[in-house]
Amino acid sequence: VLRDINKGKEWMHSCKESKLIKAIGDRKFIVYNVTNAPWPVSDRDVLVESEATYDKASRTVTIDMKSIESPDVPEVAGLVRMPRLIGKFTLKSVNDKVTYVTYEIDADPGGMLPHWLVRMASKDIPYITLTNLRDRVKVMAANGTYKEDVKLYREMGDNWN
């Protein structure tokens, strides 16, 4: 589900658009996201570089994310470019059927926003995002949507460099 970048808006809270800009191998991606902000605040956009690593000893995949700038993705009129985003997903295998997932995000939404509004608007983002992710994984697993992707990663197992 996390690798299906163009479907991110279907589970990421307040995500209006999620688009793959560039894949750099199997585990590193440049992604463009637009976040829907409540009126009267302008929507935000951000260009994010994400990279997945695997720790064999702890059976943990970590996806580190950070905002970047690129002349290939210029700022868009009507959107505020987020000047900073740092975050990560950590997926720890508990057993073959259970994965413990954490999501951490720290971002500067940019623009001239009062701190109380930023805190209020962002308070529920991690919880809702994780809840949506869990629900989407259940539906996709029941449908067999990512069956080949799961098979590939299981086969890679300990050889995941």
Side-chain angles (χ1 to χ4, degrees):
V1 172
L2 293 171
R3 282 199 57 187
D4 195 354
I5 293 163
N6 295 329
K7 301 279 186 181
K9 67 182 181 182
E10 295 179 22
W11 60 270
M12 283 191 284
H13 182 57
S14 297
C15 183
K16 193 173 188 176
E17 180 181 352
S18 183
K19 178 170 62 172
L20 176 65
I21 300 298
K22 182 178 182 182
I24 305 164
D26 290 333
R27 296 178 300 278
K28 189 171 185 177
F29 303 96
I30 307 295
V31 178
Y32 175 75
N33 284 331
V34 176
T35 301
N36 187 28
W39 182 91
V41 177
S42 298
D43 290 349
R44 277 18 194 192
D45 73 346
V46 65
L47 191 61
V48 176
E49 179 181 271
S50 66
E51 184 168 13
T53 55
Y54 177 62
D55 182 313
K56 178 174 134 181
S58 65
R59 297 179 56 184
T60 301
V61 174
T62 302
I63 303 169
D64 289 301
M65 303 172 288
K66 66 180 179 185
S67 58
I68 61 169
E69 291 296 324
S70 171
D72 298 334
V73 184
E75 292 188 19
V76 177
L79 298 176
V80 174
R81 178 67 46 101
M82 294 174 63
R84 181 183 49 78
L85 181 142
I86 301 167
K88 71 179 174 179
F89 280 96
T90 305
L91 301 94
K92 180 171 178 35
S93 174
V94 176
N95 59 48
D96 285 346
K97 301 274 186 200
V98 177
T99 302
Y100 182 77
V101 180
T102 58
Y103 173 52
E104 300 172 47
I105 195 82
D106 180 35
D108 177 353
M112 302 292 290
L113 298 173
H115 293 290
W116 65 266
L117 181 61
V118 173
R119 280 192 304 275
M120 182 182 76
S122 63
K123 185 176 85 167
D124 295 330
I125 290 173
Y127 176 76
I128 294 171
T129 295
L130 284 172
T131 300
N132 291 347
L133 176 61
R134 179 193 60 209
D135 294 346
R136 181 145 180 93
V137 166
K138 286 179 182 177
V139 169
M140 297 298 103
N143 293 341
T145 303
Y146 300 114
K147 190 175 180 178
E148 293 304 313
D149 296 289
V150 170
K151 181 180 175 186
L152 171 68
Y153 281 101
R154 285 189 193 273
E155 287 171 358
M156 285 170 53
D158 292 340
N159 297 319
W160 209 60
N161 298 333

